[in-house]
Amino acid sequence: MPRFDVRTLARRTVSLRPWRRGGETVTVPEAEDAGRERLRDLAALLCELGAELLQAGEQTSEVERLLTDVAARYGMRVRSFVVPTGLFVRVGGGPDGRGGELDFAPVDGPDLRLDQVEALQSLVTRMRAEALPFPEVALALREVRERPERFSPAATVLGYVLLTVGLGSMRHATVPAVLGYAVLGAAVGLLRLLGDRLPAARTALPVAAAILVTAASLRWAGPLLHEPPAVLYVPPLIAFLPGAALTLGAIELATGAALSGVTRLAGAANVLFLLALGILVGTELVRPHPSPGTPAGPLGEWAPWVGVLLLGFGFLLYFSAPPRVALWLLGALLTERLAQSVATEFAGAAFGAFAAGMLLPPMARWISRHSHTPDQVVFLPCFWLLVPGAVGLTSVSEIVVQGDTGGGLDSLVSTVITVAAIALGVLVGAGLQRRPRLSLGEPAAASAPTPPPPAPAAPLEPGTVPAPAPETPSDPPQGAAAGP
């Protein structure tokens, strides 16, 4: 019997790679006859595509991977440098990166809505499957940017109200507080609707919204709602909370993209300080009115779960998500909340954030396979559900407004731990799955199929002499001249 070899068994087991199903590499022949104009057009197209992917909330490393796959489908080499504010793309040249055509595109403007994200991801899937004509891709990208909002302004404001009430119900759920969330959410929703019509006021919008909700909370929260004003500060500012930016920045720092990670974290910190500045100005403008009555009791343990559903419906309306993804999105949000709650009860808040983050990539991939819903349509709402931005704003406002350096620093440290736990969980969950890759092989001319070998000669009859093989012009006999 052959000797039992553990190493051989291990090699055979690894060669099966059942977990690598769907992670194969597709080799595309390299194009040799591409002119300078084609290289320039492809570089400009990839820059435009990369800018749209960044506005859709993709990680910079994922954008680089997608650009490499798309360029390989066109038979081109590409080298890219991607940061959240812009990207450089060089197409063509040798493997050392020299030569080719270089282009640059900045990233500006509002982030894409969920329906735009779905259309963009569908286009990327087509481009990875076949080399689409450049004019067709340019037209599709323009249609993504100019796609009209699916719902009316009134439905958009209603979606923002649902977002506000959903987030508030997960944090502090009483009947008066829910009424306050709804009123303040409608006011901020109208303000954001006005800000979308005036792009010049977009920078000052977070400060103006924070001043509005703080002044209204201080003036009416106590006398009318019998609630502490600080309870109502954060939920109406949900659209400004940089929870996704904090998490993506931590992920990119962990994966070695230091510049992109620092850029995202600095932008998120700037938004938090702008919101805290607005809260500080609001507290200076209006004095708090004490409550003459007793606060109302909480609604019950079911209120946070209803808040998750309201958050999902708010996403569908406010971010113009396609209606067909409604059930998938609600199921993903409820699953994330359940995983976070169970893991928190088992081993604390940090482990709950880690478990929810680890579940997110495979769940989004599974939903994508079964419903043709892009991963980002599930990723972005789930990032908001984990609300590290809300905790971060609470801690910063405690430090800046109330001067509570002890409690504020504790909350800030808790925010950092939560963000790191979510980022680590997402990295672990993403490492459990593989995706197909495109790579360049030999040029198309060099990879032409070789002609089949000649068929074997028929067997000879006994006593016959085989005929001599015919001479070819390329094989002259010894001593003969090659010419005529």
Side-chain angles (χ1 to χ4, degrees), residues 250-348:
I251 292 174
E252 290 175 337
L253 280 179
T255 55
L259 184 58
S260 299
V262 170
T263 301
R264 291 191 191 274
L265 292 178
N270 180 63
V271 172
L272 290 178
F273 278 111
L274 285 177
L275 294 175
L277 176 63
I279 294 175
L280 177 62
V281 173
T283 57
E284 295 293 334
L285 292 176
V286 179
R287 291 184 178 182
H289 288 62
S291 172
T294 58
L299 290 177
E301 296 183 357
W302 53 268
W305 297 98
V306 175
V308 174
L309 295 177
L310 293 177
L311 198 70
F313 285 114
F315 270 109
L316 294 173
L317 293 176
Y318 186 72
F319 289 99
S320 299
R324 64 177 180 81
V325 307
L327 294 179
W328 295 101
L329 181 57
L330 293 175
L333 292 173
L334 290 173
T335 303
E336 283 289 301
R337 179 68 178 183
L338 178 62
Q340 185 181 19
S341 302
V342 172
T344 300
E345 291 292 333
F346 181 72

Side-chain angles (χ1 to χ4, degrees), residues 44 68 74 177 205 267 279 330 352 395 402 433 436 453 463:
T68 301
Y74 288 95
L205 194 59
I279 294 175
L330 293 175
S395 60
Q402 304 174 10
Q433 57 184 348

Side-chain angles (χ1 to χ4, degrees), residues 101-480:
E101 291 291 334
L102 178 67
D103 206 339
F104 167 77
V107 178
D108 53 4
D111 295 337
L112 298 185
R113 304 185 307 271
L114 292 182
D115 60 330
Q116 294 174 313
V117 172
E118 183 187 35
L120 179 63
Q121 294 291 348
S122 299
L123 175 62
V124 172
T125 301
R126 290 177 56 204
M127 296 180 71
R128 295 181 73 248
E130 58 177 321
L132 300 178
F134 292 171
E136 180 180 347
V137 177
L139 177 62
L141 289 175
R142 185 164 63 251
E143 290 177 351
V144 168
R145 287 192 300 269
E146 298 175 355
R147 178 182 289 259
E149 294 189 11
R150 188 180 300 272
F151 303 106
S152 64
T156 303
V157 174
L158 175 61
Y160 197 89
V161 172
L162 294 179
L163 285 174
T164 303
V165 175
L167 178 60
S169 299
M170 290 190 295
R171 294 170 54 85
H172 179 78
T174 63
V175 173
V178 168
L179 295 177
Y181 299 147
V183 173
L184 293 177
V188 178
L190 291 173
L191 187 63
R192 281 188 62 89
L193 198 63
L194 179 62
D196 292 339
R197 304 295 189 271
L198 299 174
R202 191 174 296 152
T203 304
L205 194 59
V207 180
I211 294 175
L212 173 65
V213 299
T214 304
S217 300
L218 291 173
R219 179 64 181 84
W220 293 298
L224 296 181
L225 303 178
H226 310 296
E227 291 286 347
V231 171
L232 304 179
Y233 287 171
V234 176
L237 303 175
I238 179 173
F240 304 101
L241 298 178
L246 289 171
T247 307
L248 288 176
I251 292 174
E252 290 175 337
L253 280 179
T255 55
L259 184 58
S260 299
V262 170
T263 301
R264 291 191 191 274
L265 292 178
N270 180 63
V271 172
L272 290 178
F273 278 111
L274 285 177
L275 294 175
L277 176 63
I279 294 175
L280 177 62
V281 173
T283 57
E284 295 293 334
L285 292 176
V286 179
R287 291 184 178 182
H289 288 62
S291 172
T294 58
L299 290 177
E301 296 183 357
W302 53 268
W305 297 98
V306 175
V308 174
L309 295 177
L310 293 177
L311 198 70
F313 285 114
F315 270 109
L316 294 173
L317 293 176
Y318 186 72
F319 289 99
S320 299
R324 64 177 180 81
V325 307
L327 294 179
W328 295 101
L329 181 57
L330 293 175
L333 292 173
L334 290 173
T335 303
E336 283 289 301
R337 179 68 178 183
L338 178 62
Q340 185 181 19
S341 302
V342 172
T344 300
E345 291 292 333
F346 181 72
F351 183 73
F354 169 80
M358 185 177 64
L359 177 64
L360 184 53
M363 181 181 65
R365 187 64 177 168
W366 185 85
I367 292 177
S368 176
R369 287 199 304 266
H370 288 80
S371 66
H372 304 289
T373 301
D375 295 0
Q376 288 299 100
V377 177
V378 178
F379 259 96
L380 297 177
C382 289
F383 272 144
W384 277 31
L385 176 67
L386 303 179
V387 290
V391 183
L393 177 59
T394 303
S395 60
V396 173
S397 63
E398 288 177 354
I399 296 174
V400 175
V401 179
Q402 304 174 10
D404 185 8
T405 56
L409 287 177
D410 291 342
S411 299
L412 191 60
V413 171
S414 175
T415 302
V416 173
I417 294 175
T418 302
V419 169
I422 296 172
L424 180 60
V426 170
L427 288 176
V428 173
L432 298 178
Q433 57 184 348
R434 302 290 181 181
R435 295 188 178 185
R437 296 296 305 270
L438 296 177
S439 65
L440 285 178
E442 295 297 327
S447 60
T450 57
L460 299 176
E461 294 293 335
T464 60
V465 179
E471 295 183 355
T472 59
S474 59
D475 275 331
Q478 285 289 345

Side-chain angles (χ1 to χ4, degrees), residues 47 50-60 63-64 81-88 104-109 111 252 259-268:
C47 280
E52 297 296 330
L53 287 171
L54 288 172
Q55 287 182 315
E58 287 282 5
Q59 302 176 37
T60 55
V63 173
E64 292 177 356
F81 177 75
V82 182
V83 293
T85 55
L87 69 161
F88 290 91
F104 167 77
V107 178
D108 53 4
D111 295 337
E252 290 175 337
L259 184 58
S260 299
V262 170
T263 301
R264 291 191 191 274
L265 292 178

